Amino acid sequence: MEMPYRRLGASGLKVSALSFGAWVTFGNQVSTEVARDLLHAAYGAGVNFFDNAETYADGRAETVMGEILKNSGWRRSSYVLSSKVYFGAESEGPNEMGLSRKHVIEGCHGSLRRLQADYLDLFFCHRADPDTPLLETVRAMHDLIIQGKVLYWGTSEWTAAQITEAHELCAKYNFHAPVVEQPQYNLFHRSRFEKELTPVLKERGMGTTIWSPLASGLLTGKYNDGIPEDSRLHMESLEWLKKRLTGFGTEKKLAAIKKFAAVAAGIDTPLPRLAIAWCLKNPQVSTVITGASKVEQLQENLATIGIMERLTPAVMAELDQISRTVAE
Ligand code: NDP
């Protein structure tokens, strides 16, 4: 089954329905060799969008990805490369994070250096910054686009009100406006995307690159009987994520996972594919960013494309009903 490509909102950019991100894994959980195998497996399957951020592994995720891309021999025009600014990379000085003009511009330069790239296709504000006037941030993004260092800019985990304000400022000053939002979206995390963001995304013609489609792996069923040693929740540096995912409401989530698994079995589909396919079915989703620490996981997830039509309206209704009992 061939990888479909979707327009990123109203922009002319086309992204593969499934994309691949470097969070937790590159420069951290996996070796450079495994990172290389993962990126090559993704590209070989038609994935054209690779997601990264200055903060992933304190900049090392970009360094590892940049080296792999440099040695790949792939045409630069054949893939879409992103990074994100806000949390900072190697250092933590007061001007080395946030969305001030200084950090947006310097952050972009740092990402370009680590990724060994001349430009970023997508540059995201990784969060909103309450300490910087929004006009300062949108002007800095616009200037990076005018300089050719960034082709399109976007937001990540911004509220509908913040996105609206950014668009209004861009219209007023004739700046390039954000074309994409990157929110979390999965069977356990829905309401922000579906209720709050969808109206503004439609109104402003914005696409979406959604993250954690498997809720960090929870939706694969791998945590049903405890925490496997080779999983991300076993990593000391991710104690905060473990607390979040295995804290309040875990029992209800595990019960829901068993019900999702029964639906998956009913349509002869592994659970990870079902969970990813459910995200892809939402027409407001331009691309689902998958993550993987093993090539077999990635291959499993990429096979989602072949089972999309099994998610009939009846199956979607069943999933919706289970999900509504536990989803935020
Ligand atoms: P997922 O929810 O898909 O979790 C991926 C993890 O789940 C893998 O690393 C692996 O972890 C496990 N896994 C994946 N597939 C399987 C499988 N088939 N069977 C068993 N386990 C599996 O996505 P991520 O949370 O990694 O997010 C994806 C991307 O989204 C990130 O890389 C990043 O680019 C982006 N992102 C953006 C954020 C933002 O704020 N904008 C925040 C977070 C992510 P394990 O090693 O435990 O096996």
Side-chain angles (χ1 to χ4, degrees), residues 65-100:
M65 190 178 274
E67 198 58 25
I68 298 168
L69 289 172
K70 190 185 87 179
N71 295 326
S72 68
W74 304 333
R75 291 186 314 283
R76 179 64 184 87
S77 54
S78 69
Y79 58 86
V80 172
L81 186 59
S82 80
S83 190
K84 310 186 199 80
V85 62
Y86 176 78
F87 291 104
E90 296 115 334
S91 316
E92 292 184 348
N95 285 314
E96 293 170 318
M97 54 181 65
L99 297 180
S100 66

Side-chain angles (χ1 to χ4, degrees), residues 218-264:
L218 202 61
L219 279 162
T220 64
K222 70 193 295 171
Y223 293 111
N224 286 5
D225 303 309
I227 299 179
E229 271 189 24
D230 62 346
S231 67
R232 70 167 57 164
L233 292 198
H234 207 260
M235 294 166 67
E236 225 169 89
S237 58
L238 290 179
E239 197 59 30
W240 62 271
L241 184 67
K242 183 170 142 187
K243 277 198 187 124
R244 190 188 289 173
L245 289 176
T246 60
F248 182 71
T250 304
E251 289 311 314
K252 272 174 89 177
K253 280 188 181 154
L254 293 180
I257 289 168
K258 287 181 184 146
K259 291 182 191 161
F260 292 139
V263 177

